[in-house]
DNA sequence: CGACTCATTGACGTAGCTCAAGGTATGTGG
DNA sequence: CCACATACCTTGAGCTACGTCAATGAGTCG
């Protein structure tokens, strides 16, 4: 049974050969470059060959919400034919140097209508994204910030750039921006997990040393069993 | 430029003839029946001929979050091949008597892969749903409950079962369940709008008498201009 | 007419925000 | 390789928006 993912990777690797054969341009981005800028509507679709990108949403009051991470073997963002106002508040930036295949919106939609498997895979991908957003907007909203944090750490252990071996590469600020809370509040909740010997905080990353105890705090919706 | 919608209707009306020609069963639901029950994964897709359905998510603490409304000429829920845990917490109930066309998941996916226009329309529909959820999880979260409420009223005026003529058919409890706040807090914020002569509260519905003033309270992201 | 369901209002507690002052790794340039 | 800057983390004190609990009022329906 599938649980939410903030980190997307490998979903489209089976289509690498096919995508190479389709009309595209190859591009590279340097760490910090913007793949998708504020004020832009979506006009391109990227297939990521290497590197990681981060998508976030800017609120008019200046606060930033981190929405998702995108890495090797996945596409981002999906193509569609509509213009949403909210797209103007979204930006995607490269967290590391990146190599991508770039497709135009129209070409990609054509490809979907031609390649049945790619189409089904894309639909599944949309469903996965909706799953994450439903989890955030309908489930996490009802949890206390401490539970929210435990859930997030657990989800990143299950599925993240290097989440295995109990390692989570997020700063406290990142965590706060994912959970829409203040850095101070994130720190306080992390301090509690530290005091309970469930995590060891480091600079820029967190080590989980008692997964069982962490799991015990997570909400039902978060656990894959 | 498109703003979020809680109320879906008419998106697939162009496909009525086509859908009728595809393998399906015709079904009716009585007011209060469940189209999608708690604990169920998605296995069917409905095209709604008449009536309104409401989709909501149950939190393990008992609180309910209303996610969206679905009516004539639209399909619900989309089809995909995955199993998400969160689907078990979702239910969809008929708010009125309903007539629908019912398709199996597999048949519907086949139809998408066969009918190019239906496929593109479905992709747009997914994007529209993602737009709503992004708005909730990344934008509304940062607004005060008063602004959240103003935004919601505005959005329902733009797009709702009978949102025109300044009429919004929602109880205070509905509003609270959409905005993930308590009934009491919703009532207090409505009282403020009443005191400022922007709305006239009624039993089970709300009348907006000063749209300009309401708009002035809305966040940028909410306004279609 | 009585029994709902829905709306209103008050009193009070608290989670999480704001403001603020430090502490400690990491990187850089002299 | 040390001095210094910069980012990141920690902790405290006070405030406030929102939740909780509770009582009352006001439409609607069988």
């Amino acid at each position: 049974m599938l649980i939410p993912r903030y980190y997307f990777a490998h979903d489209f690797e089976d289509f690498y050969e096919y995508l190479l054969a389709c009309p595209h341009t190859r591009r590279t981005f340097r760490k910090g470059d913007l793949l998708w800028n504020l004020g832009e509507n979506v006009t391109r679709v990227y297939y990521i060959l290497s590197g990681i990108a981060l998508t976030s949403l800017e609120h008019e009051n200046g606060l930033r919400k981190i929405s998702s991470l995108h890495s090797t073997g996945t596409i981002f963002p999906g193509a569609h034919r509509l213009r949403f106002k909210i797209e103007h508040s979204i930006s995607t930036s490269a967290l590391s140097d990146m190599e991508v295949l770039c497709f135009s919106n129209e070409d990609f939609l054509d490809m979907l209508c031609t390649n049945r498997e790619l189409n089904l895979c894309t639909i599944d991908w949309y469903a996965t994204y909706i799953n994450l957003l439903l989890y955030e907007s309908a489930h996490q909203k009802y949890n206390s910030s401490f539970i929210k944090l435990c859930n997030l750490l657990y989800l990143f252990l299950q599925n993240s750039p290097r989440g295995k071996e109990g390692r989570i590469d997020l700063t406290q600020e990142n965590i706060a921006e994912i959970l829409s809370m203040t850095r101070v509040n994130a720190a306080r909740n992390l301090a509690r997990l530290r005091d309970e010997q469930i995590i060891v905080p480091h600079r820029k990353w967190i080590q989980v040393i008692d997964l069982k105890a962490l799991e015990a705090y997570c909400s039902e919706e978060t656990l894959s069993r």
Side-chain angles (χ1 to χ4, degrees), chain A:
Chain A
M1 205 112 70
L2 295 168
I3 54 174
R5 295 156 49 186
Y6 285 92
Y7 174 70
F8 291 85
H10 311 306
D11 305 309
F12 288 85
E13 266 171 353
D14 291 349
F15 302 98
Y16 176 60
E17 298 293 335
Y18 173 75
L19 293 172
L20 265 189
C22 292
H24 69 275
T25 57
R26 205 187 186 90
R27 297 185 57 179
T28 58
F29 293 98
R30 308 305 304 267
K31 180 173 173 173
D33 285 353
L34 292 171
L35 285 73
W36 181 1
N37 212 329
L38 289 173
E40 264 184 2
N41 277 102
V42 181
T43 57
R44 292 176 299 277
V45 182
Y46 299 110
Y47 174 82
I48 300 174
L49 297 169
S50 67
I52 302 188
L54 180 150
T55 297
S56 63
L57 233 129
E58 199 89 24
H59 189 277
E60 58 201 74
N61 66 13
L63 290 172
R64 185 174 90 134
K65 153 79 183 165
I66 295 179
S67 185
S68 51
L69 297 161
H70 308 272
S71 184
T72 311
T74 191
I75 58 162
F76 187 79
H80 54 80
R81 301 174 298 180
L82 307 175
R83 301 273 125 145
F84 295 104
K85 175 144 189 185
I86 212 167
E87 292 179 14
H88 290 199
S89 307
I90 301 180
S91 66
T92 300
S93 67
L95 289 184
S96 63
D97 291 354
M98 298 185 72
E99 270 203 297
V100 304
L101 307 181
C102 178
F103 303 88
S104 80
N105 224 319
E106 299 74 38
D107 285 349
F108 193 79
L109 288 173
D110 276 339
M111 287 152 62
L112 291 184
C113 294
T114 318
N115 185 322
R116 182 192 165 91
E117 276 308 311
L118 180 64
N119 193 39
L120 291 174
C121 189
T122 302
I123 287 172
D124 286 345
W125 187 90
Y126 269 107
T128 307
Y129 209 86
I130 288 176
N131 181 50
L132 170 64
L133 291 170
L134 271 179
Y135 176 79
E136 290 209 323
S137 109
H139 177 74
Q140 281 280 63
K141 220 172 213 166
Y142 292 103
N143 295 323
S144 71
S145 65
F146 179 70
I147 304 295
K148 278 193 188 117
L149 173 62
C150 294
N151 286 345
L152 181 70
L153 295 180
Y154 179 83
L155 292 179
F156 262 82
L157 280 181
Q158 304 306 307
N159 185 272
S160 80
R162 20 192 316 194
K164 303 307 170 193
E165 323 106 41
R167 181 189 172 99
I168 299 170
D169 284 280
L170 291 173
T171 64
Q172 293 193 351
E173 178 144 30
N174 291 156
I175 291 174
E177 287 176 331
I178 293 174
L179 296 177
S180 314
M181 60 175 74
T182 58
R183 205 165 26 79
V184 175
N185 193 26
R188 276 191 228 284
N189 285 303
L190 284 165
R192 173 170 167 195
L193 285 172
R194 181 200 57 205
D195 294 344
E196 296 187 11
Q197 316 226 343
I198 294 172
I199 64 167
V200 179
H202 297 271
R203 209 184 149 74
K204 291 192 176 208
W205 64 283
I206 291 162
Q207 187 183 4
V208 176
I209 55 174
D210 189 347
L211 180 59
K212 282 269 165 286
L214 181 67
E215 255 185 72
Y217 279 128
C218 289
S219 61
E220 261 311 301
E221 214 57 79
T222 309
L223 302 168
S224 51
R225 61 165 149 75

